[in-house]
Amino acid sequence: MNAVEVRSLRREFTVSRSSGEAPRVALGGIDLSIPEGEIHGLLGPNGAGKTTLCKILSTVLVPTSGTAAILGRDVVADVAAVRPLVGCVFGGDRGLYGRLSARHNLSYWAALYGVPGRRIGLRTSEVLERFGLAGHADDRVETFSRGMKQRLHLARGLVHDPRVLLLDEPTTGMDPVAAHEFRRLLGSLRNDGRTILITTHDMAEAEAVCDRVTLIDHGEILHTSTPRQLARLVSGHDRVDARDVPAELADRVRTLAGVSRVRLQGDGSTRIETETGSATADVLRLLVDSGVTTLSTSRPSLEEVYLRLVGDRGMEVSR
């Protein structure tokens, strides 16, 4: 059984304009399967449909058509069965009450999630201890750092012990140290066997923690694969970076079979993208035989894949 199963899922909104009301498609009939125990990244620009999908999976929104299920339970027909299975974590300060202590925040959310009253105190203490907040359990949340608040967000999402965790832009506004700590915490959640769906713009985050990633844009899924396999969409096999490559030599490299692209980069080096392993070997042989000694091979990063497939819209703000 998959932890998340989405089939032909569509969600439309009605947008008011000066010319009247018009439909807006947030999700255009997508399919997505996430097996149990996987950390799955959902990447896309603002307005791509990421948050809409999370809201449907958490039973906050009803789809216009299609189906979505959590561990075999339909999110529309089996709402009461789905909600205990899902925990939601949002970025920023949403979902926390600053004038309450960490303990009171968690006790409140545990009650809302239906944790039995006799277990609320024990469960609250357990998650505070797990996320390193036991020493600040009775401090007001408004005194917490950004990193501490995000740990409390995770504790809130796990207070009812869900099997599926939805993380919607969880590292928004975090400094690099806090974001690194957050990724370490995700690794510990993976060891629990939980399924995690994380929406993010942070390519390093997705590449570091996700088993697979899905690129989504304009409510349509572009591709789903591992970060390494996605990188092959940009470059069939490898890329070679070399310094001090004369223009005449660069032209000779372009004529080699299996070379898809040769371009001069901003730092003065030359990047050569190949489509086959044999082409990479031919490029290296020609460069070395021609006296080029400063070179390296690598694969494209997930960020390059994202920018190639989504384009400049990755920096846009949807209106």
Side-chain angles (χ1 to χ4, degrees), residues 93-107:
D93 295 324
R94 294 174 294 171
L96 297 178
Y97 298 93
R99 297 179 67 181
L100 297 181
S101 68
R103 190 187 306 278
H104 285 154
N105 265 275
L106 293 181
S107 296

Side-chain angles (χ1 to χ4, degrees), residues 37-39 123 126-127 129-132 150-151 154-155 158 161-163 165 167 179-196 208-211:
E38 180 173 278
I39 298 182
R123 185 59 186 159
E126 287 175 349
V127 292
E129 181 69 32
R130 174 165 192 177
F131 292 106
Q150 201 55 40
R151 278 185 276 162
L154 273 178
L158 289 171
D161 199 22
R163 293 170 61 186
L165 196 58
L167 309 181
H180 177 77
E181 172 65 12
F182 183 78
R183 292 172 199 149
R184 188 189 67 77
L185 290 172
L186 286 186
S188 72
L189 294 178
R190 180 207 298 271
N191 294 335
D192 290 348
R194 299 182 200 273
T195 305
I196 301 174
V209 304
C210 293
D211 300 304

Side-chain angles (χ1 to χ4, degrees), residues 206-272:
E207 205 156 14
V209 304
C210 293
D211 300 304
R212 292 190 304 152
V213 293
T214 291
L215 299 184
I216 184 172
D217 190 28
H218 287 97
E220 302 288 344
I221 287 180
L222 304 180
H223 200 83
T224 297
S225 193
T226 66
R228 179 178 290 274
Q229 289 170 335
L230 274 174
R232 295 191 179 189
L233 293 177
V234 174
S235 179
H237 191 270
D238 284 318
R239 61 186 182 187
V240 178
D241 291 322
R243 289 195 171 276
D244 303 319
V245 178
E248 180 183 355
L249 179 57
D251 289 339
R252 290 173 59 194
V253 170
R254 286 188 180 90
T255 66
L256 295 176
V259 172
S260 59
R261 191 179 186 190
V262 178
R263 61 189 173 94
L264 187 66
Q265 300 193 105
D267 62 357
S269 65
T270 299
R271 171 159 293 175
I272 302 141

Side-chain angles (χ1 to χ4, degrees), residues 152-205:
L152 185 58
H153 269 302
L154 273 178
R156 177 180 63 79
L158 289 171
V159 73
H160 61 302
D161 199 22
R163 293 170 61 186
V164 177
L165 196 58
L166 307 177
L167 309 181
D168 190 19
E169 301 286 356
T171 54
T172 298
M174 278 192 190
D175 60 60
V177 174
H180 177 77
E181 172 65 12
F182 183 78
R183 292 172 199 149
R184 188 189 67 77
L185 290 172
L186 286 186
S188 72
L189 294 178
R190 180 207 298 271
N191 294 335
D192 290 348
R194 299 182 200 273
T195 305
I196 301 174
L197 175 62
I198 177 171
T199 76
T200 182
H201 284 98
D202 189 332
M203 299 299 114
E205 180 175 75

Side-chain angles (χ1 to χ4, degrees), residues 9-32:
L9 193 67
R10 185 176 184 86
R11 173 67 195 197
E12 297 178 0
F13 294 94
T14 300
V15 180
S16 296
R17 298 176 178 171
S18 57
S19 57
E21 295 186 339
R24 175 182 174 272
V25 177
L27 294 173
I30 66 171
D31 296 324
L32 180 64

